[in-house]
Amino acid sequence: MYISVTRDKCSGCGVCIASCPYDAIVMHEDRARITELCQLCRACLSVCPEGAISEVEDGVVRKEKGQGRGVWVFAEQRSGRLAGVSLELLGAGRRLADKLGAELSAVLLGNVERGAQELICWGADRVYLCDDPAMDTFNDEPYANVLSELIAQYKPEIVLAGATAIGRSFFPRVAARLHTGLTADCTSLDIEESTGNLLQVRPAFGGNIMATILCPHSRPQMATVRPRVMKAAEYQDDKKGEVIPVKPVKITSSTRVTETVMEVSEVAVNLQDANIIVAGGRGAGGEKGFKLLFELAETLDGSVAASRAAVDEGWIPYRHQVGQTGKTVGPKVYIACGISGAVQHIVGMQSSDIIIAINRNPEAPIFSIATYGIVGDMFEVVPMMIKKIREIKGL
Amino acid sequence: MKIVVCVKQVPDTAEVRINPETNTLVRDGVPSIINPYDLHAVEAALQIREAAGGEVTTLTMGPPQAENALRETVSMGVDRAVLLTDRLFAGSDTWATAYTLYKGIEHLGADIILCGKQAIDGDTAQVGPEIAEFFGMPHIAYVRKIVEVGNDRIVVQRLMDDGFDVVESSLPVLLTVVREINVPRLPSLKGKMAAKKAGILKLSAADLKAEEENLGLKGSPTQVKNIFAPEAKANRKVLSGSMEDNVAQLVNELVEMKCI
Amino acid sequence: MDYFLTEEQVMIRDLARQIAEEKIVPVRAELDETGEFPWDVMKTLAQSDLFGLFIPEEYGGLGKGCLELTIAVEELSRACLGVSTTFAANALGTYPILLFGSDEQKKKFLPDIAAGKRLVAFGLTEANAGSDAGGTQTTARLDGNEYVINGTKQWITNGGAAEVYTIIAITDRSKGPRGASAFVIEKGTPGFTFGKKENKMGIRASATTELIFDNCRIPKENLIGKEGMGFVVAMKTLDNSRTGVGSQGVGVAQGALDEAVKFARQRVQFGHPVITFQAVQHMLADMATSIEAARALVYAVSRLVDSGSKDISKESAMAKVFATDMAMRVTTDAVQVMGGSGYMKEYPVEKMMRDAKILQIYEGTNQIQRNVIGQALIKEAARLK
């Protein structure tokens, strides 16, 4: 597909030039012309008063006829432990597979005790298991080789992986080799009713906008999803499934991991495992404001997070930052104090079950996503909350 | 040692907004900058050159205006800059971009290819590993430190979600770098003056002997269906009682959710 | 205001501004607090070629003139006067070699100075010779192929940090002002040590020490120019550097005005941002106007220097005195506009006000500058008759 200007219709008014977010339209011989900067955002289509701009379909079809079916999830393990994001993906994959009337499979490379059975209990119908010592440690080339071979053999419709250091590193190699599309950091995945194509929604421009991405003419459709964005399905103790052993292929690697060093900061763990998060933004005003928020978090046994504005001001270290450029969290309760709710923050916390917003400005965008909102000064509201909670707890 | 650094000119995303009524990007006065991660890649390349000798080339695919980004890298001290530009490249997604850059680097030759870990407009982090795949060469993503560079091997620290790995690789290799790796140098005056005069090598699809069906829109498996402003949840409830009542109600909700 | 700068001059301004904003603003408060020497910033300045601005291309510099140096110093001063003092004092110390040095001296010292590898300091002031340079007591006695230096220089900017020192010493006391000579002395020469680092009111990032010479022997070749030319060297050096001090005044005042305007837009009193009050607006208007007037004068005199004009004493003194008196006034007013906040260390204007004071004192007090201007007026009037 591409965007085209019908020269006969174009009046050369230039309205489209102003509408183009990518500076991709220029005047050429008094008519608009789309340049190579075009990103197919379609902003110009609706603004042209002459209707001279249109999309032209010319996609190269790479779908093979009689291809296989099914939704696959790459089940990531590190040091013999399944990554949480893989279980979340099984939840998302299950819903997609059910919509397509297809099976859900997991691919597990390396040894995880009872790993295949666990994946089945979390929703997989089938597990392709390559339980070879060469797979225990992550290396890009062997991982890409094994997964590419499997995909070529079984031809799944959709393949998902976690947007982790591992997934984001080797998945592109697989997509490049298979000449298919890969969409990173999806925040929602769905099936387009009319076509059966995967609708992949992801943030772009630092989270300032969302884009829906399609991969209509190539298979499989590949996507990565950040941890804590999807919800895992219910764990089923007695679920049965099939385990298919896979022989490793081309396991030689030009890279070799000589040492693995774990450096987990306490806060990272606390934030991502926390049931309750108390977060502060510019409205916290300084370290004093955060002291108050730490106090509230303590009475609730929660953790403290911050928006980029507060981190940039130096009121709290970066490891507390939630948002597009920080961590993604999904607690039961997220209490946003003095946070206006810039998109870049919202994408990091919108999957929280309950969002409570406290802000002086009734127009603050945070209120539009808040379950409960209080228009007021956090320096008034938060101490009242602390007092009330202490009363209830009998402190 | 031949080092090629891939750079991208991007809009300063901190300034980009969407107009919720028209669902279009508002980027009036949004400046174009070099993707910040790429500056770290350029710095890493210059440091390798200083330690091991060699030549640093920056490479970008884009419209003629992308020359500005390349000139900025010349002012930091890179030896030459190459622009891949052709109408056939229009509409490239990550696959087609990686293919085009691969053809460009193949044309130039490289022992080490460096990329920023991702571009701030797309945040996909895919182009680097995809280039390596086209070459069939190894890549190491999220490099936070270059420990050692030899004639035929390199040792680096790779940032992981739970710490870091020490990884060694044969050459040639592609590395994508994270911000922790270094502090990019500022341009020098002599560099800026050289950048003004520097010749930028421009290569077209024909120069690269690239297969047309792998380029631009034709070569891109993914399409953007639409863009929109992030949606708001509908279940908002702004508490409108007295502050005392509001707080009491809120705390009650927390109790009901068994948070207290 | 458009000063019709060349493309290169704009480039220099932009680069100096980028360094100021990215590398100096984030550390200036800490440098002020600790009084630590800004080595990291000096490294950045060296890497950016700014040390080579005014040094001829044949010695590895960029071969630019006074206006380019003025522009760079102004931008650095906008962020931190301590840092810009260190940078400007380096130029001050270099001028004796640049203006009067032999080819050998230039070849030996200028390339390293241009590259920022070696910092320079200028040593004129003594305990009894400040405004009155005639009171210089440090002596240089020729002994065979060496000069023997004895005496103590005081309040020397870049003392201890610099590797190269240009100093004035008396070679023949009987000749009065014509008995002084200029020398270049390298750090590490036996008999050359440093006194304590001074604890200053402002420009605390810059180093200020005594230079102590105790039978310090230097080769004869280290004499700059000829014996007896010492005061000529010193006066020509100061003529060239005064515009630099003027541009420091323009820079620090601009920095203070920027802060004051930013604050006044945010600070709400009586329900309105304070910038909406005319009393505040008028202060800001006067500040902006006087900055622009000073900048116009400093740039014009810098261009006069670059034109090769022989007698620049009066004009350079005017630029210095006007711009630095303005800087003291504007930085004080910036604190006033910002009220209590301006007085607190959370905001940079109190530092700017403390820093600005030195500009009226060093490199010839503003009273001495007025003497220079006054004497020039007398001379001119006499010539008219």
Side-chain angles (χ1 to χ4, degrees):
Chain A
M1 195 205 75
Y2 61 95
I3 307 294
S4 163
V5 179
T6 310
R7 282 189 65 84
D8 298 344
K9 285 191 190 168
C10 176
S11 66
C13 69
V15 169
C16 53
I17 294 179
S19 80
C20 178
Y22 299 95
D23 278 344
I25 309 180
V26 294
M27 269 304 159
H28 182 71
E29 290 163 4
D30 292 335
R31 298 287 182 269
R33 179 169 164 177
I34 316 282
T35 71
E36 56 270 38
L37 282 174
C38 177
Q39 299 289 312
L40 301 176
C41 74
R42 294 175 176 78
C44 54
L45 295 187
S46 56
V47 303
C48 178
E50 317 296 335
I53 307 178
S54 55
E55 322 176 28
V56 181
E57 285 288 341
D58 76 335
V60 177
V61 178
R62 294 189 190 79
K63 269 198 265 195
E64 287 180 50
K65 289 264 158 63
Q67 65 191 3
R69 289 162 56 86
V71 178
W72 282 19
V73 168
F74 170 75
E76 176 177 327
Q77 61 83 18
R78 193 151 150 86
S79 309
R81 276 189 52 198
L82 285 175
V85 66
S86 304
L87 312 179
E88 295 157 21
L89 284 179
L90 284 172
R94 185 74 263 168
R95 288 187 288 277
L96 296 175
D98 291 347
K99 266 201 172 163
L100 288 167
E103 288 187 320
L104 174 67
S105 307
V107 179
L108 177 58
L109 311 181
N111 184 284
V112 177
E113 214 188 314
R114 258 184 52 85
Q117 186 51 48
E118 280 291 296
L119 294 169
I120 289 167
C121 293
W122 284 107
D125 300 313
R126 186 181 295 119
V127 177
Y128 298 96
L129 174 65
C130 183
D131 189 1
D132 188 283
M135 295 289 128
D136 285 348
T137 315
F138 167 68
N139 276 297
D140 288 279
E141 288 160 288
Y143 268 47
N145 290 342
V146 171
L147 186 61
S148 303
E149 290 285 330
L150 278 173
I151 291 172
Q153 191 179 345
Y154 296 99
K155 299 187 174 55
E157 184 95 356
I158 294 169
V159 186
L160 309 176
T164 59
I166 290 177
R168 294 185 84 181
S169 179
F170 92 99
F171 235 48
R173 292 194 79 110
V174 176
R177 194 175 305 180
L178 301 172
H179 199 161
T180 193
L182 169 57
T183 308
D185 290 351
C186 295
T187 53
S188 117
L189 294 170
D190 203 351
I191 303 294
E192 191 174 42
E193 296 274 338
S194 53
T195 60
N197 284 332
L198 183 63
L199 293 168
Q200 307 162 94
V201 176
R202 72 180 303 268
F205 288 103
N208 289 309
I209 64 161
M210 306 299 287
T212 311
I213 311 287
L214 285 177
C215 177
H217 303 303
S218 306
R219 291 294 182 267
Q221 304 161 90
M222 297 176 67
T224 63
V225 179
R226 295 222 296 186
R228 310 245 154 208
V229 171
M230 302 290 176
K231 296 270 177 227
E234 213 62 7
Y235 184 88
Q236 296 166 271
D237 262 328
D238 52 349
K239 188 164 181 303
K240 298 274 184 291
E242 187 184 5
V243 178
I244 298 179
V246 175
K247 282 230 156 52
V249 289
K250 295 186 264 178
I251 53 170
T252 53
S253 174
S254 323
T255 60
R256 197 164 67 86
V257 175
T258 56
E259 196 186 346
T260 291
V261 181
M262 296 288 185
E263 283 181 331
V264 180
S265 89
E266 249 173 62
V267 177
V269 175
N270 286 346
L271 269 186
Q272 305 204 317
D273 291 344
N275 266 325
I276 298 175
I277 291 178
V278 179
R282 196 184 295 284
E287 285 168 27
K288 220 175 86 192
F290 273 95
K291 227 178 119 190
L292 197 57
L293 298 181
F294 271 102
E295 209 180 318
L296 176 60
E298 204 182 309
T299 57
L300 287 165
D301 295 321
S303 302
V304 173
S307 73
R308 189 173 75 182
V311 173
D312 284 351
E313 291 284 353
W315 299 337
I316 187 164
Y318 170 73
R319 56 179 182 276
H320 291 269
Q321 186 174 321
V322 161
Q324 178 73 10
T325 47
K327 297 188 174 65
T328 307
V329 296
K332 262 170 86 175
V333 180
Y334 191 93
I335 307 178
C337 305
I339 292 179
S340 65
V343 175
Q344 95 97 17
H345 183 73
I346 288 174
V347 296
M349 46 64 84
Q350 61 189 355
S351 64
S352 309
D353 293 344
I354 302 279
I355 296 169
I356 296 170
I358 300 165
N359 201 302
R360 273 193 307 200
N361 176 6
E363 303 299 322
I366 190 79
F367 286 119
S368 65
I369 64 154
T371 326
Y372 301 102
I374 293 185
V375 178
D377 190 337
M378 63 165 266
F379 289 95
E380 184 187 352
V381 179
V382 173
M384 283 169 79
M385 284 179 74
I386 294 171
K387 192 167 155 243
K388 196 100 195 162
I389 295 163
R390 283 196 178 140
E391 275 171 29
I392 290 171
K393 288 174 108 177
L395 291 172
Chain B
M1 189 76 70
K2 287 180 103 172
I3 308 164
V4 173
V5 188
C6 300
V7 300
K8 184 179 186 186
Q9 192 171 36
V10 295
D12 192 344
T13 55
E15 314 271 330
V16 178
R17 292 284 174 276
I18 197 163
N19 178 338
E21 279 158 30
T22 58
N23 262 355
T24 52
L25 289 174
V26 181
R27 41 160 271 176
D28 277 347
V30 175
S32 282
I33 56 171
I34 294 188
N35 177 39
Y37 295 103
D38 298 348
L39 291 175
H40 295 268
V42 172
E43 177 64 35
L46 294 172
Q47 287 182 11
I48 293 173
R49 183 184 71 184
E50 277 155 15
E55 186 201 50
V56 177
T57 305
T58 44
L59 174 70
T60 194
M61 180 193 88
Q65 303 91 292
E67 242 191 78
N68 297 336
L70 289 174
R71 287 193 193 280
E72 204 177 318
T73 67
V74 173
S75 72
M76 289 171 73
V78 310
D79 300 292
R80 65 171 175 163
V82 181
L83 172 65
L84 309 180
T85 188
D86 199 313
R87 277 185 65 83
L88 287 172
F89 301 154
S92 294
D93 73 354
T94 60
W95 196 98
T97 303
Y99 174 79
T100 310
L101 290 170
Y102 148 70
K103 294 303 282 185
I105 299 165
E106 195 181 41
H107 187 90
L108 302 167
D111 301 302
I112 297 177
I113 305 168
L114 285 159
C115 303
K117 77 159 181 171
Q118 64 198 45
I120 57 166
D121 55 350
D123 286 328
T124 71
Q126 283 164 204
V127 170
E130 290 186 348
I131 294 171
E133 177 62 29
F134 285 120
F135 274 106
M137 70 166 65
H139 83 267
I140 307 171
Y142 309 121
V143 171
R144 68 165 211 181
K145 187 179 180 185
I146 294 175
V147 182
E148 199 186 322
V149 183
N151 280 333
D152 51 7
R153 81 187 252 288
I154 192 165
V155 182
V156 304
Q157 288 182 4
R158 168 176 68 194
L159 188 68
M160 300 297 282
D161 298 318
D162 52 6
F164 66 91
D165 287 345
V166 180
V167 187
E168 61 174 52
S169 173
S170 56
L171 296 185
V173 69
L174 182 145
L175 309 176
T176 77
V177 304
V178 296
R179 286 194 153 165
E180 292 92 314
I181 192 168
N182 55 39
V183 180
R185 69 193 62 188
L186 294 176
S188 69
L189 270 179
K190 283 177 190 168
K192 281 190 141 194
M193 287 170 190
K196 217 174 67 186
K197 295 183 208 128
I200 306 277
L201 177 62
K202 293 190 180 105
L203 298 172
S204 67
D207 296 327
L208 300 180
K209 297 187 181 63
E211 289 171 46
E212 212 180 304
E213 68 175 53
N214 286 338
L215 296 175
L217 273 174
K218 277 191 183 169
S220 298
T222 60
Q223 295 179 356
V224 179
K225 184 177 149 65
N226 58 0
I227 58 168
F228 56 93
E231 61 187 286
K233 284 187 181 173
N235 54 357
R236 59 174 291 192
K237 201 192 290 174
V238 174
L239 307 178
S240 52
S242 74
M243 203 52 84
E244 290 277 345
D245 291 347
N246 289 345
V247 170
Q249 193 184 340
L250 207 54
V251 172
N252 272 339
E253 296 284 350
L254 289 173
V255 171
E256 263 170 45
M257 285 185 285
K258 299 189 168 52
C259 290
I260 298 170
Chain C
M1 197 162 97
D2 191 347
Y3 288 95
F4 302 101
L5 302 180
T6 64
E7 205 179 331
E8 274 186 353
Q9 286 161 350
V10 171
M11 207 183 262
I12 289 162
R13 186 192 63 198
D14 291 350
L15 182 59
R17 186 172 295 174
Q18 189 182 3
I19 292 170
E21 283 169 4
E22 291 179 20
K23 305 287 181 185
I24 301 177
V25 167
V27 297
R28 65 180 171 196
E30 196 191 330
L31 291 173
D32 179 53
E33 191 75 38
T34 62
E36 254 169 58
F37 191 79
W39 284 115
D40 285 348
V41 178
M42 291 303 123
K43 229 167 90 185
T44 305
L45 292 174
Q47 219 171 35
S48 68
D49 300 329
L50 283 179
F51 279 116
L53 261 188
F54 63 103
I55 292 175
E57 286 174 279
E58 53 183 310
Y59 301 113
L62 288 149
K64 302 296 164 203
C66 182
L67 182 56
E68 284 81 1
L69 193 60
T70 289
I71 290 167
V73 168
E74 179 188 335
E75 290 301 329
L76 301 180
S77 305
R78 219 166 136 173
C80 176
L81 215 49
V83 167
S84 86
T85 294
T86 305
F87 178 76
N90 182 73
L92 176 69
T94 307
Y95 276 123
I97 303 173
L98 198 61
L99 299 175
F100 298 94
S102 64
D103 281 351
E104 285 71 32
Q105 286 168 343
K106 288 181 184 173
K107 263 183 221 149
K108 183 174 176 191
F109 293 107
L110 294 184
D112 278 358
I113 295 170
K117 286 183 192 157
R118 305 177 92 189
L119 273 179
V120 196
F122 182 60
L124 173 64
T125 304
E126 297 181 9
N128 296 316
S131 294
D132 174 15
T136 300
Q137 285 172 336
T138 299
T139 57
R141 179 173 53 84
L142 190 61
D143 179 19
N145 280 329
E146 291 175 321
Y147 280 101
V148 184
I149 316 279
N150 277 292
T152 299
K153 295 286 175 185
Q154 183 179 260
W155 302 332
I156 304 306
T157 305
N158 290 354
E163 299 280 329
V164 179
Y165 296 80
T166 50
I167 65 142
I168 306 296
I170 303 296
T171 39
D172 186 346
R173 194 169 300 282
S174 66
K175 290 187 177 161
R178 290 173 190 274
S181 305
F183 299 91
V184 54
I185 305 178
E186 292 174 75
K187 186 176 174 178
T189 306
F192 174 23
T193 55
F194 303 101
K196 71 169 176 14
K197 196 172 161 179
E198 303 293 345
N199 189 5
K200 303 189 292 292
M201 168 185 179
I203 57 164
R204 294 174 52 82
S206 71
T208 312
T209 67
E210 285 177 337
L211 313 181
I212 302 163
F213 301 99
D214 180 13
N215 283 320
C216 172
R217 302 182 82 90
I218 56 171
K220 213 167 111 185
E221 300 82 66
N222 285 18
L223 172 70
I224 297 173
K226 292 183 189 138
E227 267 197 30
M229 279 178 65
F231 283 125
V232 177
V233 171
M235 290 311 128
K236 289 285 168 198
T237 292
L238 292 173
D239 281 353
N240 271 277
S241 72
R242 272 187 213 114
T243 46
V245 184
S247 68
Q248 285 191 296
V250 175
V252 71
Q254 184 68 54
L257 175 66
D258 294 346
E259 291 293 335
V261 170
K262 193 167 89 186
F263 182 88
R265 279 164 52 93
Q266 286 167 357
R267 170 71 169 175
V268 176
Q269 290 287 276
F270 307 106
H272 298 282
V274 299
I275 201 164
T276 57
F277 303 132
Q278 280 196 332
V280 172
Q281 278 177 25
H282 287 185
M283 281 181 84
L284 294 171
D286 285 344
M287 290 156 75
T289 308
S290 49
I291 291 170
E292 211 56 70
R295 183 180 287 122
L297 178 59
V298 170
Y299 282 22
V301 175
S302 297
R303 285 185 162 127
L304 178 73
V305 174
D306 286 335
S307 74
S309 173
K310 262 191 181 164
D311 196 2
I312 53 173
S313 298
K314 182 183 77 179
E315 288 79 6
S316 66
M318 287 171 160
K320 196 250 173 188
V321 77
F322 187 79
T324 58
D325 283 349
M326 176 281 293
M328 194 65 244
R329 222 168 40 239
V330 168
T331 53
T332 308
D333 284 349
V335 173
Q336 189 67 27
V337 167
M338 294 173 62
S341 298
Y343 198 73
M344 300 298 152
K345 297 219 176 211
E346 271 77 23
Y347 291 88
V349 287
E350 64 81 26
K351 168 186 182 294
M352 291 170 172
M353 179 179 161
R354 281 186 284 114
D355 286 352
K357 186 64 207 170
I358 191 64
L359 300 177
Q360 295 176 302
I361 298 169
Y362 70 11
E363 288 193 54
T365 62
N366 283 7
Q367 287 66 37
I368 290 290
Q369 304 302 332
R370 289 181 169 92
N371 287 357
V372 171
I373 299 164
Q375 275 153 17
L377 291 176
I378 294 168
K379 259 195 234 165
E380 282 168 17
R383 237 181 277 143
L384 278 177
K385 272 190 181 167

